[in-house]
Amino acid sequence: MDKKIAHLGKKTGKMLLFGGVYSNLQALETLISIAEREKIDPSNCICTGDIVGYCAQPEETIQRFKKWGANSIAGNVEFQLAHDKEDCGCDFETGGRCDIFSKMWYPYAKNQLSTNSMEWIAELPDYLTFTYGEKTIMVVHGSYGNISKYIFKSTPLAKKESQFKDTASDIIIAGHCGLPFSNISQNGVWLNPGVIGMPANDGTPRVWYMILDDSNGCLEYTHHHFQYDYRTTQQLMLDNGLPKSYAETLSTGIWDNMEILPETEKKQKGLAIDFGDKEFLLS
């Protein structure tokens, strides 16, 4: 299947990176207000996919995203929806808790979406590429060539290194795994801004995004978090018969299970993430 790659050209100014909206309209509204406060134009805001997901407002979330005008690639959920598949394509272990719960939230989302939203989803590219601060950047969901591949901080660097060569890029911005992190190596920089639709399994209700900045004559990135009206999101999930344990995660900050996580990330459960205020330079 041919890859759909959207070329955004040369970018300058602050950029806002995020992923995993997961049908969480309240989190999306808060992020939009952050972008406006930071004076970041929607054209400089990029989502790594999975706009649709676990929460209760897929149609409202898609329509708000469209109205905002930010950029996005297709996550595995959008890919599956666009191809009229019957599962989310998350590559969950068959019969596991994630697999069982996906049989609740994915059909719900599919049934809620309008023809207009489905047509918009079908037009999303698989990848985005652009230049920024003299660097070539590629945006992927899981990895280049595998939309459902989980790449974590602890994933061996060699598995990330090959992606820089395959994409002819200096920086890869990825999503899918649900946890924010960065890796800098001699051959490239791997950035995952995290997701805004669910907490990062760190025992807090905070959700994560990143900002790139070239205003000081160099390329800098920072991890950021925010809180939002998760109680409304939570109640809507419960009212619509979506998984109770996922609704509880919005307030506890703890995932229902850790089936997808490597051992290193499992050990970090409940430990509040702290990147500090440091700005990281991309040389």
Side-chain angles (χ1 to χ4, degrees):
M1 187 177 296
D2 292 337
K3 299 178 176 69
K4 293 193 294 184
I5 303 177
H7 300 270
L8 302 182
K10 184 174 178 60
K11 290 286 185 180
T12 59
K14 281 187 180 181
M15 300 195 70
L16 188 149
L17 313 174
F18 65 103
V21 185
Y22 299 150
S23 304
N24 189 333
L25 180 63
Q26 290 68 44
L28 178 61
E29 292 282 13
T30 301
L31 185 73
I32 292 171
S33 70
I34 291 170
E36 292 171 346
R37 184 188 71 211
E38 295 286 337
K39 296 182 171 55
I40 303 176
D41 191 82
S43 64
N44 268 18
C45 299
I46 295 178
C47 178
T48 61
D50 284 352
I51 303 170
V52 176
Y54 311 110
C55 300
Q57 293 180 284
E59 174 65 16
E60 296 89 341
T61 301
I62 289 290
Q63 293 300 323
R64 185 65 182 96
F65 198 102
K66 285 178 59 182
K67 182 179 179 181
W68 181 27
N71 298 287
S72 184
I73 59 172
N76 54 276
V77 177
E78 286 82 36
F79 181 89
Q80 296 293 95
L81 288 167
H83 291 83
D84 197 26
K85 302 294 186 179
E86 295 303 317
D87 64 79
C88 67
C90 297
D91 201 24
F92 294 141
E93 180 181 352
T94 302
R97 287 181 67 79
C98 288
D99 180 51
I100 292 169
F101 289 144
S102 72
K103 290 176 170 59
M104 298 170 66
W105 65 257
Y106 180 80
Y108 169 86
K110 191 174 183 181
N111 290 333
Q112 291 287 314
L113 290 169
S114 66
T115 300
N116 176 273
S117 289
M118 291 291 278
E119 290 174 346
W120 183 82
I121 284 171
E123 293 301 315
L124 290 173
D126 301 314
Y127 308 100
L128 291 171
T129 185
F130 59 97
T131 58
Y132 184 76
E134 306 306 319
K135 303 291 185 183
T136 299
I137 299 181
M138 173 71 79
V139 183
V140 307
H141 183 63
S143 69
Y144 187 72
N146 188 342
I147 198 170
S148 297
K149 187 175 183 63
Y150 291 102
I151 301 289
F152 294 92
K153 175 79 170 178
S154 68
T155 300
L157 200 56
K159 293 187 177 181
K160 301 178 180 112
E161 295 279 2
S162 63
Q163 297 267 297
F164 300 119
K165 180 179 179 181
D166 292 343
T167 61
S169 59
D170 305 300
I171 301 169
I172 291 178
I173 298 167
H176 193 50
C177 78
L179 301 176
F181 71 88
S182 61
N183 283 131
I184 300 179
S185 70
Q186 289 184 334
N187 295 316
V189 178
W190 190 285
L191 301 177
N192 192 314
V195 299
I196 68 167
M198 282 279 167
N201 201 35
D202 72 340
T204 80
R206 305 173 304 170
V207 293
W208 292 85
Y209 67 101
M210 292 182 69
I211 288 180
L212 296 182
D213 192 353
D214 66 352
S215 60
N216 293 322
C218 57
L219 204 165
E220 302 173 341
Y221 70 89
T222 48
H223 291 276
H224 299 269
H225 59 78
F226 66 87
Q227 299 205 43
Y228 65 99
D229 179 18
Y230 64 81
R231 296 191 185 282
T232 293
T233 314
Q234 191 175 58
Q235 191 59 53
L236 285 166
M237 292 177 72
L238 297 173
D239 291 346
N240 285 280
L242 293 168
K244 181 179 178 181
S245 60
Y246 284 0
E248 290 175 348
T249 291
L250 297 178
S251 54
T252 66
I254 298 295
W255 293 2
D256 168 82
N257 64 83
M258 298 187 291
E259 293 174 354
I260 69 167
L261 295 181
E263 286 303 314
T264 297
E265 280 73 17
K266 285 179 179 178
K267 292 175 182 178
Q268 294 165 0
K269 172 185 176 182
L271 301 177
I273 297 170
D274 182 14
F275 292 104
D277 297 324
K278 183 178 179 181
E279 292 185 337
F280 300 84
L281 301 181
L282 303 181
S283 58

